[in-house]
Amino acid sequence: MPASPAPTTADELRGAGLRVTAARVALLEAVRQGGHLGVEAIASKVRERVGHISLQAVYEALHALTAAGLVRRIEPAGHPARFEGRVGDNHHHIVCRSCGAVADVDCAVGDAPCLTASDDRGFSIDEAEVVYWGTCPDCSTGRSS
Ligand SMILES: [Zn+2]
Ligand SMILES: [Zn+2]
């Protein structure tokens, strides 16, 4: 057995300089388990564990965790924001135009910005926002049958 146990979710919150609350622990674990959940889905998972929490409190906690770098927020155009626990890499997302399903796509280059601008116009560019749009397997199947 290793001498020091793996850090708990509470340790990670503390390490990021955040106050540890049961709701924040439940929220971070829900986001990490959930893939790309919206605020409502996250709120209902948090409520299963800690009882009532207002949607406003969930928004505020998500904002704090996103600012601390523990959670990544994605907001595909025309869709509500989603949150995920996969942070610290430059992965992209593919979004289904039909049902809004979101999947991860590894960055082909690895580091941002992964597209080279033909002309940077004197700007120092640090990110290219890449979203792939298409039709998910479920929706493709539904359409053809
Ligand atoms: Zn779909
Ligand atoms: Zn993702």
Side-chain angles (χ1 to χ4, degrees):
M1 293 292 285
S4 54
T8 63
T9 306
D11 291 336
E12 291 185 70
L13 288 167
R14 220 172 277 122
L18 294 171
R19 197 162 44 88
V20 177
T21 65
R24 283 181 173 177
V25 169
L27 185 145
L28 183 53
E29 290 178 354
V31 168
R32 286 180 171 168
Q33 287 160 10
H36 305 90
L37 296 176
V39 174
E40 300 273 357
I42 293 167
S44 68
K45 283 181 179 290
V46 172
R47 285 177 189 134
E48 282 170 17
R49 283 184 48 180
V50 302
H52 179 75
I53 177 170
S54 71
L55 208 53
Q56 182 61 32
V58 171
Y59 271 110
E60 286 167 8
L62 282 168
H63 180 81
L65 294 185
T66 303
L70 293 172
V71 166
R72 178 172 163 187
R73 172 196 175 98
I74 59 168
E75 196 158 16
H79 292 267
R82 312 288 187 87
F83 295 86
E84 69 180 338
R86 182 176 166 184
V87 296
D89 67 358
N90 187 48
H91 77 275
H92 306 299
H93 295 100
I94 183 164
V95 184
C96 177
R97 290 188 191 281
S98 178
C99 70
V102 176
D104 287 335
V105 181
D106 287 342
C107 179
V109 176
D111 300 308
C114 51
L115 295 178
T116 304
S118 58
D119 180 350
D120 64 20
R121 312 290 296 197
F123 285 58
S124 168
I125 296 174
D126 56 42
E127 182 183 357
E129 191 173 305
V130 177
V131 177
Y132 299 94
W133 294 90
T135 307
C136 76
D138 285 349
C139 290
S140 306
T141 309
R143 189 175 300 171
S144 59
S145 63

